[in-house]
């Protein structure tokens, strides 16, 4: 059972001793009640910011000056932890979709909790473990329900980021989202794990005031959550995929779409011979099947973007839909999307590579034509990777992408077929790891070793490239003795030709 740690208790105790109310607030209380380790411990107090700072100083607790005090927040640094200590407050919002227009301090804990986003986050705990809960947060925890404090439209209009946080909390907690207002018809394919018997209206137009950094942070947290598929379903159902946010460039703001490329996947039919879900529910199942690694999760979210698109969607003779070659278009669309969202170059490059290659294993499963070495050799020589370690990492990630995708089809119910897929992927990884150097630096010899062999002034780099090609071709092992012997043999042949 997790408890309030001593450093956080110390802050509560010193504020209480000075005559102020002080409580652990928000997500930490929720996680403690759920038996989960809290990420951090925030404190809410009746003390004004300057009073909080004075109490901390009197007890040798360092505070970070002028950080967040406009919003009643003092950051205390204690035992290597940053603790945000926020004064009870009220707030009102204007045109900014996340930053309060006005903030005023309050002496009422009840008022402070009434401004919070969701009931499960609107609880506090005192130093003795007593819970103060004015909005039935504990009941909602027990029922595994996520709902706003009061009217949902009001909460979301105040702070648009709360809509994305709703999706993220559904993903992290595995809770069912509910609201009393703005009810819409069901969404999704009935009978699937992701079907929503009740959809909800969100004021998504308010997202236009959100920043790229905040939107991307919420998307990333959602994607790596335990129940990401359910959070993503809410994101799609409420129209948040089609919302916009803003990016400031050259002193002015530009509106950027969040994830509109996903919209056409909702309800998109697939060949039921292979698929048990439509394209969107298949994507959600594939995401949930995969490791909670951000690169892999983004690849799973985007791997089928090309399906259903003009030039890709076709029809088999039996009338069933086909999407031959969708992986190539998916990769193009994924690169455009990740570029728009300003993801780092290397991150984007790897996701796009995974998307573009996610279908490579599938034909081998059926034809048994497993030209694995040829494939890995082409990737090693293609300039995409710097070292064999990078190549091996990429194929290890591709294995997870392949198995997650495969597991979201009828094949997921066939243990033998899944085992064959895993064996195939492991064989590729073994080739990449032990038989396919990418760069001459991956060889078991270096230029200094060859300098002792080369006697006619030839460049060692030429010899290294020769050895690299020999190893890649499979007719020379990447072993020091074998490489040195091959270099000696080449030197002898070179010397003999020079004498003729």
């Amino acid at each position: 059972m997790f408890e309030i740690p001593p450093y956080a208790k110390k802050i509560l105790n010193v504020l209480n001793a000075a005559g102020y109310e002080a409580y652990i607030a928000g997500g930490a209380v929720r996680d403690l009640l759920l038996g989960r380790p809290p990420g951090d411990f925030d404190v809410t107090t009746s003390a004004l910011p300057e009073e909080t700072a004075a109490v901390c100083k009197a007890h040798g607790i360092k505070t970070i000056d002028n950080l967040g005090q406009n919003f009643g927040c003092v950051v205390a640094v204690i035992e290597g932890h940053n603790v945000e200590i926020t004064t009870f407050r009220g707030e009102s919002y204007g045109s900014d979709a996340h930053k309060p227009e006005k903030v005023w301090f309050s002496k009422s804990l009840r008022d402070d909790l009434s401004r919070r986003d969701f009931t499960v986050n609107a609880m506090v705990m005192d130093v003795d473990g007593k819970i103060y809960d004015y909005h039935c947060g504990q009941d909602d925890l027990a029922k595994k329900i996520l709902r706003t404090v009061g009217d949902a439209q009001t909460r979301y209009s105040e702070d648009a980021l709360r809509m994305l946080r709703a999706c993220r909390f559904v993903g992290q907690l595995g809770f069912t989202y509910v609201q009393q207002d703005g009810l819409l018809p069901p969404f999704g394919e009935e009978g699937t794990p992701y079907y929503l018997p009740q959809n909800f209206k969100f004021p998504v137009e308010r997202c236009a005031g959100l920043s790229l950094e905040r939107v991307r942070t919420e998307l990333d947290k959602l994607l790596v959550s335990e129940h990401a598929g359910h959070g993503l379903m809410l994101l799609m159902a409420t129209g948040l995929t089609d919302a916009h946010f803003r990016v400031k460039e050259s002193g002015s703001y530009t509106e950027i779409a969040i994830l509109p490329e996903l919209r056409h996947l909702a309800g998109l039919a697939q060949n039921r011979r292979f698929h048990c879900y439509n394209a969107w529910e298949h994507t959600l199942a594939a995401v949930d099947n995969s490791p909670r690694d951000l690169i892999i999760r983004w690849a799973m979210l985007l791997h089928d973007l090309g399906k259903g698109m003009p030039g890709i969607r076709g029809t088999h003779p039996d009338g069933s839909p086909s999407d031959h070659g969708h992986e190539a278009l998916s990769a193009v669309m994924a690169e455009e999307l990740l570029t728009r969202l300003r993801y780092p170059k290397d991150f984007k490059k790897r996701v796009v590579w995974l998307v573009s290659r996610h279908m490579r294993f599938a034909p081998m499963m059926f034809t048994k034509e497993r030209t694995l070495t040829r494939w890995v050799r082409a990737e090693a020589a293609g300039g995409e990777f710097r070292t064999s370690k990078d190549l091996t990492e990429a194929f290890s990630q591709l294995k997870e992408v392949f198995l997650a995708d495969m597991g979201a089809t009828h094949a997921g119910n066939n243990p033998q077929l899944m085992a064959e897929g895993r064996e195939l992927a492991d064989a590729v990884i073994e080739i990449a790891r032990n038989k396919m150097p990418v760069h001459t630096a991956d060889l078991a010899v270096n230029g200094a070793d060859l300098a002792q062999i080369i006697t006619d002034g030839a460049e060692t780099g030429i010899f290294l490239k020769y050895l690299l090609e020999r190893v890649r071709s499979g007719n020379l092992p990447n072993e020091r003795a074998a490489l040195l012997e091959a270099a000696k043999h080449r030197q002898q042949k070179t010397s003999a030709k020079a004498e003729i």
Side-chain angles (χ1 to χ4, degrees):
M1 181 65 181
F2 298 99
E3 298 179 346
I4 302 174
Y7 70 85
K9 283 187 176 182
K10 180 176 180 180
I11 290 176
L12 298 182
N13 282 326
V14 298
L15 287 168
N16 290 160
Y20 303 109
E21 294 180 63
Y23 310 91
I24 298 297
V29 178
R30 178 198 68 224
D31 290 341
L32 288 172
L33 292 174
L34 289 172
R36 300 156 59 112
D40 48 42
F41 287 85
D42 296 334
V43 171
T44 187
T45 180
S46 60
L48 296 174
E50 59 270 23
E51 293 170 335
T52 297
V55 170
C56 288
K57 182 178 180 180
H59 290 83
I61 300 172
K62 180 184 176 182
T63 60
I64 302 177
D65 293 336
N66 301 320
L67 183 61
Q69 289 197 21
N70 290 336
F71 298 101
C73 179
V74 173
V75 179
V77 181
I78 179 170
E79 297 179 18
H81 299 273
N82 287 4
V83 178
E84 294 186 4
I85 309 171
T86 306
T87 302
F88 298 162
R89 75 186 199 207
E91 58 197 17
S92 64
Y93 290 78
S95 59
D96 194 309
H98 183 68
K99 184 179 178 181
E101 186 176 63
K102 294 180 180 179
V103 174
W104 58 90
F105 299 134
S106 170
K107 290 297 181 181
S108 169
L109 173 63
R110 185 184 294 268
D111 288 348
D112 183 78
L113 295 181
S114 294
R115 70 176 177 82
R116 307 275 173 158
D117 52 7
F118 304 103
T119 62
V120 296
N121 295 336
M123 299 178 285
V124 297
M125 178 185 291
D126 69 16
V127 71
D128 297 318
K130 181 180 178 181
I131 303 295
Y132 295 80
D133 176 14
Y134 303 119
H135 301 284
C136 302
Q138 292 175 92
D139 290 342
D140 288 347
L141 281 181
K143 297 174 184 176
K144 296 187 176 182
I145 287 175
L146 183 73
R147 63 183 178 91
T148 57
V149 174
D151 178 70
Q153 301 302 313
T154 301
R155 293 285 84 81
Y156 295 146
S157 293
E158 290 171 344
D159 184 351
L161 193 67
R162 288 170 173 167
M163 290 181 274
L164 293 169
R165 282 166 59 85
C167 300
R168 191 242 298 178
F169 284 131
V170 166
Q172 289 180 331
L173 302 174
F175 283 14
T176 299
Y177 178 83
V178 298
Q179 69 181 46
Q180 300 303 312
D181 56 312
L183 303 183
L184 297 175
F187 186 87
E189 185 174 350
E190 193 170 1
T192 70
Y194 304 101
Y195 175 70
L196 294 178
Q198 182 74 69
N199 192 14
F200 311 96
K201 178 175 175 56
F202 280 9
V204 297
E205 65 280 357
R206 289 285 290 170
C207 291
L210 295 175
S211 68
L212 166 65
E213 292 75 20
R214 291 187 179 279
V215 169
R216 210 170 69 184
T217 294
E218 289 299 326
L219 290 176
D220 288 348
K221 287 182 177 180
L222 167 56
L223 270 176
V224 297
S225 65
E226 184 177 357
H227 308 278
H230 292 279
L232 288 166
M233 189 59 159
L234 186 63
L235 192 85
M236 173 71 80
T238 56
L240 281 167
T241 52
D242 293 60
H244 289 71
F245 59 93
R246 64 184 185 180
V247 176
K248 192 171 186 179
E249 295 177 322
S250 302
S252 60
Y253 287 105
T254 302
E255 282 200 2
I256 303 292
I258 295 180
L259 295 170
E261 293 89 345
L262 297 174
R263 173 58 55 182
H264 75 284
L265 297 178
L268 181 67
Q270 298 201 97
N271 189 338
R272 289 293 174 165
R273 180 184 172 191
F274 304 105
H275 287 280
C276 41
Y277 304 125
N278 64 38
W280 177 236
E281 268 95 334
H282 163 77
T283 295
L284 301 181
V287 168
D288 281 343
N289 285 344
S290 65
R292 290 161 63 181
D293 172 272
L294 190 59
I295 286 178
I296 294 174
R297 285 287 173 96
W298 266 110
M300 299 320 305
L301 181 64
L302 307 180
H303 78 286
D304 278 350
L305 285 182
K307 284 186 175 179
M309 298 296 287
I312 298 296
R313 175 50 58 108
T315 305
H316 290 294
D318 63 0
S320 61
S322 69
D323 289 291
H324 180 70
H326 71 274
E327 64 274 17
L329 180 56
S330 296
V332 172
M333 295 173 70
E335 183 166 22
E336 291 175 352
L337 185 155
L338 294 172
T339 299
R340 184 179 71 245
L341 297 183
R342 297 348 188 234
Y343 276 89
K345 181 180 177 181
D346 288 346
F347 181 94
K348 177 177 63 177
K349 185 177 179 182
R350 180 58 56 84
V351 171
V352 170
W353 185 87
L354 292 171
V355 171
S356 67
R357 269 68 168 180
H358 82 270
M359 291 294 293
R360 289 294 298 268
F361 285 115
M364 301 179 195
M365 292 290 295
F366 294 100
T367 66
K368 307 301 181 182
E369 294 181 7
R370 303 183 176 183
T371 54
L372 303 182
T373 301
R374 188 185 307 165
W375 175 21
V376 180
R377 183 185 301 124
E379 295 290 357
E384 182 84 12
F385 305 101
R386 292 185 290 270
T387 65
S388 59
K389 180 180 178 181
D390 294 334
L391 179 69
T392 302
E393 179 188 63
F395 273 108
S396 297
Q397 291 169 326
L398 187 61
K399 168 189 173 180
E400 301 298 344
V401 168
F402 165 57
L403 293 176
D405 188 24
M406 187 179 173
T409 67
H410 290 306
N413 296 318
N414 187 328
Q416 180 178 348
L417 195 59
M418 292 299 296
E420 289 180 9
R422 187 172 291 104
E423 180 183 350
L424 178 63
D426 284 340
V428 170
I429 294 170
E430 177 65 19
I431 294 171
R433 178 181 291 117
N434 296 315
K435 299 180 181 179
M436 202 59 63
V438 172
H439 191 274
T440 55
D442 295 322
L443 295 174
V445 296
N446 56 34
D449 297 321
L450 298 185
Q452 302 176 32
I453 296 173
I454 302 171
T455 58
D456 56 2
E459 293 184 12
T460 57
I462 295 175
F463 273 71
L464 286 169
K465 289 180 180 179
Y466 164 74
L467 295 175
L468 180 64
E469 291 302 319
R470 292 275 315 270
V471 174
R472 283 180 181 169
S473 68
N475 57 30
L476 181 66
N478 189 12
E479 299 171 359
R480 179 179 173 81
L483 294 173
L484 291 176
E485 185 61 32
K488 289 177 183 177
H489 183 68
R490 180 178 174 83
Q491 174 62 43
Q492 291 169 357
K493 289 177 64 176
T494 302
S495 299
K497 287 182 180 180
E499 291 174 0
I500 296 175

